[in-house]
Amino acid sequence: MNSRRDFIKNLGLATAGIVLLPPLEGFAAKKKWFDISLAEWSLHRTLHKGDLKNIDFPEFTAKNFGIYGVEYVNSFFKDKAKDMTYLKDLNNRAKDNGVKNVLIMVDGEGDLGHADAQKRAQAVENHYKWVDAASFLGCTSIRVNAAGSGTREEVAKRAVESLSTLSSYSKKAKINVIVENHGGISSHGDWLADVLKSVGNKYCGSLPDFGNFYEYDRYQGVSDLMPYAKGVSAKAHDFDESGNEVNIDYAKMMRIVKDAGYKGFVGIEYEGGTLSEIEGIKATKTLLERFQ
C-alpha cells in the first residue's frame, strides 16, 4: 500500500516538473589508488640558492602545489639528524599544514657495498641516525643506495649483508629501508631485485625511479622492482604540448605500478631544465593526476 502511495506521489511530482534525485551517498567520490608526494630534490636549485630552507619545505609544498606528502633529502639538513629541537619544529610545521612526512632520502653516508669491511660497517652505522630521525618525523621509510665497486656478485653479497644489518635495526622502529635504482649496478632492475630477495626482510624494499635505468630498459626495471616497492619515484624532465613526458610513457609506467597492486605515495621528482622547478612540479602533478 505504501509503495503504491509513494509511486503516485512521485508521479505527481514528476508531472509537476520536479525531478527526484537518488541519495547523495551513491555519488561519493571514488577513492584514488595512490597519493602524490613531492621529492625535495625537485627544488634543489631553489634550496641551494637559499631561496627555500628545508624547515619551510612542508608548508611551501602544501601552499604552492596542493601536495600533502613530502620526501626529504638529508643533504638539506645534514647536521640536524640528532637535533631534536629542529626535528620537533619540522614535524610541527608539517602537521600544521596537513602534510605527511613520507621518507628521507639518504645520500653521502658511505657505500653499503664498499669493498672494505670496516668502511662498509661504518656506512651502515651512519644510516642509523636517519632511521631514528625518520621514526621521530613519522615517516615510513628511508631511501638508501646500494653502491660499491667490484663484480656484480661481489657488490651484491656486500649489499645484502649491509641491508640485512640496517633493516634489522630499522625493524625496531618499523621504518622501511628502501633502495633506489640510483646509478651503477643498482640501475639494473634484475640485479637489485635479486639483492632484495636475498635480504628477505619485509622492512627492506625498493623505490623504483622511472628515470634512473640508463642502459637497462626502464619498463622492465620498474616491473622487476615493483614486487618489493614501498614507494615510487615519478621522474620527469621535459613535456610535450599535450603535457606528456617526452622520454617516459607515463600511461605504460603507471599501468605497471597499478598492476603490481601498489597503493601508496608516488613521489614527483622533477629534474628538467626547460621549465622552472615550480612549473615542472606542477606539470608532473597534472600528468600524474590523469592516472589516479
Side-chain angles (χ1 to χ4, degrees), residues 114-133:
H114 203 289
D116 185 288
Q118 188 172 352
K119 290 182 178 179
R120 193 165 64 248
Q122 185 62 55
V124 172
E125 189 173 329
N126 290 345
H127 283 77
Y128 289 167
K129 61 182 177 288
W130 294 109
V131 171
D132 298 339

Side-chain angles (χ1 to χ4, degrees), residues 166-268:
L166 184 54
S167 54
S168 291
Y169 179 87
S170 72
K171 180 181 179 180
K172 300 168 192 171
K174 296 184 178 179
I175 295 294
N176 299 311
V177 173
I178 57 178
V179 189
E180 182 181 354
N181 48 300
H182 208 198
I185 193 62
S186 76
S187 288
H188 290 251
D190 56 350
W191 180 89
L192 185 50
D194 285 345
V195 165
L196 297 174
K197 182 179 179 180
S198 296
V199 173
N201 187 319
K202 73 175 185 176
Y203 285 96
C204 186
S206 67
L207 178 67
D209 184 298
F210 293 173
N212 289 350
F213 288 101
Y214 311 108
E215 71 272 12
Y216 195 89
D217 181 81
R218 70 176 81 243
Y219 307 103
Q220 182 59 51
V222 172
S223 295
D224 292 338
L225 296 177
M226 280 312 302
Y228 307 94
K230 297 181 183 297
V232 171
S233 185
K235 182 66 61 63
H237 286 91
D238 295 302
F239 302 86
D240 63 21
E241 59 188 15
S242 299
N244 296 305
E245 216 288 338
V246 298
N247 299 303
I248 301 169
D249 183 340
Y250 260 66
K252 182 175 181 178
M253 202 64 95
M254 292 306 293
R255 189 161 53 247
I256 293 170
V257 173
K258 187 173 187 179
D259 288 349
Y262 179 81
K263 293 178 182 178
F265 282 96
V266 173
I268 292 170

Side-chain angles (χ1 to χ4, degrees), residues 7 36 39 49 52 64 71 75 81 92 100 105 114 126 143 155 176 208 212 222 231 235 256 268 270 272 279-280:
F7 172 77
I36 295 174
K49 283 193 298 183
L52 175 66
N64 285 278
E71 304 177 7
S75 59
N92 287 338
K100 162 69 177 170
M105 297 187 177
H114 203 289
N126 290 345
R143 188 277 277 140
V155 180
N176 299 311
N212 289 350
V222 172
K235 182 66 61 63
I256 293 170
I268 292 170
Y270 174 70
E279 291 307 312

Side-chain angles (χ1 to χ4, degrees), residues 5-26:
R5 188 183 303 121
D6 290 341
F7 172 77
I8 293 172
K9 177 183 177 183
N10 291 342
L11 180 63
L13 290 171
T15 303
I18 300 171
V19 179
L20 296 176
L21 297 175
L24 286 175
E25 58 266 23

